[in-house]
Amino acid sequence: MDLNTFWFLLIGVLLIGYAILDGFDLGVGALHLFARTDQDRRIFLNAIGPVWDGNEVWLVTFGGALFAAFPKAYATAFSGFYLAFMFLLCALIFRAVAIEFRSKQESPIWRRFWDGAFFAASASSSLLFGIAVGNLILGLPIGADGDFRGQLGDLVRPYALLVGFFNLSMFMMHGSIYLYLKTEGELQERIRHWIYRTFGIFCCLYAFTTIATLQALPGATRNFAQYPWVWAIVALNVLAIANIPRALHKQLPSFAFFSSACNIAALVVLFGVAIFPNMIISSLNPAWSLTIYNAASSQKALGLMRNIAFLGLPFVMTYTIAIYWVFRGKVKVEKHSY
């Protein structure tokens, strides 16, 4: 494996980590307004309160790795999605502020405002992430010099919106399963019904998105012939999705959450396979696409950073595991909780 492929895979691993971990955070936020009482909403916030900021470390690490390994792709992506990224940044900031501020006062107006902000920020973030993925699959108007030659309106395409809503449904399903793990009693039973509803919406959008992807990008499966092992990922993806209701029926919510995480990981892998070896596909001329070779840093830099990654990634993994171990179990709301 050359260094360019190694970094493409490592960035994929970081994206998988972020999508799985912050995915249920965003899903919980998108479900926040469906809670009936103030107590229920506090339970939701405390379910993710100890871990949400640590989960976002994976996004920061992903951005840093992309900037270091593929600076040209990073520059083009941020120039093309500049306004969208500003919207995303504002949403992530408001989401964080809402989590911290929401329960600081008991005023109903105060709490309703931050409840709305938390919901809107979480839902819009999920939607924007999906729209970005949809546009990367379709390709961006990139010139021979690597510059973005479009406008913000060019990114709001039907297929990209479909992927955006698909991503939102996936995170809501993922988040509802996580809440089921962290709650108990009557609230847990209501969340169980949410899982089946979000699962149904997800499956419908999964089918539509798959069909639309094969139509919008006929070459999405071109790498399957060269890498036949990818068919195993497809099979595992389908099995993981099918196991979610099965695990819930057998009262095994941990397995349902694990299956949901596997589903997310498989979809990220399939997305990477669909565009490989491209980083950003040019819709103007395929020859102008940014690949893992023409968008990469020097071999010396990639080699040095690989050694740093081998040292740093275990710390991120250890921290993540430790936090989830410390805050395992059901949520308890106390006076000084969120």
Side-chain angles (χ1 to χ4, degrees):
M1 181 187 301
D2 58 31
L3 288 170
N4 304 69
T5 304
F6 168 82
W7 275 101
F8 183 82
L9 294 176
L10 180 59
I11 287 174
V13 169
L14 295 173
L15 183 58
I16 289 172
Y18 176 72
I20 291 175
L21 297 178
D22 208 34
F24 69 73
D25 287 348
L26 295 171
V28 169
L31 293 166
H32 188 68
L33 293 185
F34 293 98
R36 293 178 180 176
T37 66
D38 181 77
Q39 178 74 1
D40 290 347
R41 292 179 181 180
R42 291 191 68 192
I43 290 174
F44 285 11
L45 289 175
N46 282 275
I48 65 172
V51 298
W52 71 267
D53 48 355
N55 293 341
E56 291 196 343
V57 170
W58 289 81
L59 178 62
V60 176
T61 308
F62 167 80
L66 181 63
F67 172 75
F70 303 103
K72 292 181 181 179
Y74 178 92
T76 299
F78 270 77
S79 64
F81 295 116
Y82 185 79
L83 288 177
F85 277 135
M86 292 301 103
F87 289 137
L88 175 62
L89 183 60
C90 289
L92 293 177
I93 291 173
F94 262 90
R95 172 171 163 260
V97 174
I99 292 173
E100 297 296 334
F101 279 23
R102 191 261 177 195
S103 298
K104 297 300 183 184
Q105 295 187 23
E106 295 185 2
S107 167
I109 296 176
W110 172 272
R111 292 192 172 186
R112 280 198 296 268
F113 172 79
W114 290 115
D115 285 339
F118 183 48
F119 164 79
S122 300
S124 60
S125 297
S126 303
L127 190 63
L128 287 170
F129 280 126
I131 290 174
V133 171
N135 278 288
L136 290 175
I137 293 174
L138 288 176
L140 299 175
I142 304 300
D145 52 2
D147 289 342
F148 179 75
R149 296 184 179 179
Q151 298 178 351
L152 179 62
D154 298 331
L155 305 178
V156 186
R157 295 179 277 185
Y159 174 78
L161 288 173
L162 174 62
V163 178
F165 283 108
F166 168 70
N167 189 62
L168 175 59
S169 70
M170 180 173 67
F171 283 173
M172 291 178 71
M173 178 185 70
H174 195 49
S176 62
I177 298 173
Y178 179 77
L179 286 175
Y180 187 81
L181 283 170
K182 303 296 287 185
T183 56
E184 53 191 349
E186 189 267 340
L187 176 59
Q188 186 186 51
E189 189 58 32
R190 278 194 280 119
I191 292 173
R192 181 185 182 90
H193 295 297
W194 293 1
I195 296 175
Y196 287 114
R197 292 170 186 170
T198 55
F199 177 78
I201 296 171
F202 165 78
C203 287
C204 291
L205 289 175
Y206 180 91
F208 286 132
T209 305
T210 300
I211 295 171
T213 300
L214 294 175
Q215 290 182 338
L217 189 66
T221 58
R222 72 185 188 284
N223 286 325
F224 283 46
Q226 185 175 357
Y227 308 106
W229 55 266
V230 177
W231 288 108
I233 302 297
V234 176
L236 290 174
N237 184 207
V238 175
L239 291 174
I241 295 171
N243 191 57
I244 292 174
R246 175 181 176 275
L248 289 173
H249 178 71
K250 292 183 173 292
Q251 300 295 320
L252 298 172
S254 297
F255 283 95
F257 184 79
F258 177 74
S259 297
S260 180
C262 289
N263 163 59
I264 294 174
L267 290 174
V268 174
V269 171
L270 293 175
F271 164 65
V273 171
I275 66 172
F276 184 82
N278 297 306
M279 297 291 294
I280 300 179
I281 301 171
S282 173
S283 59
L284 301 179
N285 187 340
W288 296 343
S289 298
L290 296 177
T291 69
I292 62 173
Y293 298 104
N294 63 16
S297 298
S298 67
Q299 291 296 298
K300 183 176 181 180
L302 292 177
L304 177 62
M305 291 186 298
R306 178 188 58 183
N307 297 333
I308 296 174
F310 283 143
L311 293 173
L313 193 58
F315 286 100
V316 176
M317 296 291 295
T318 302
Y319 166 81
T320 301
I321 294 172
I323 289 297
Y324 280 91
W325 176 256
V326 170
F327 293 100
R328 67 191 184 278
K330 302 295 184 179
V331 176
K332 303 295 182 182
V333 177
E334 301 173 350
K335 180 179 179 181
H336 298 291
S337 299
Y338 285 97

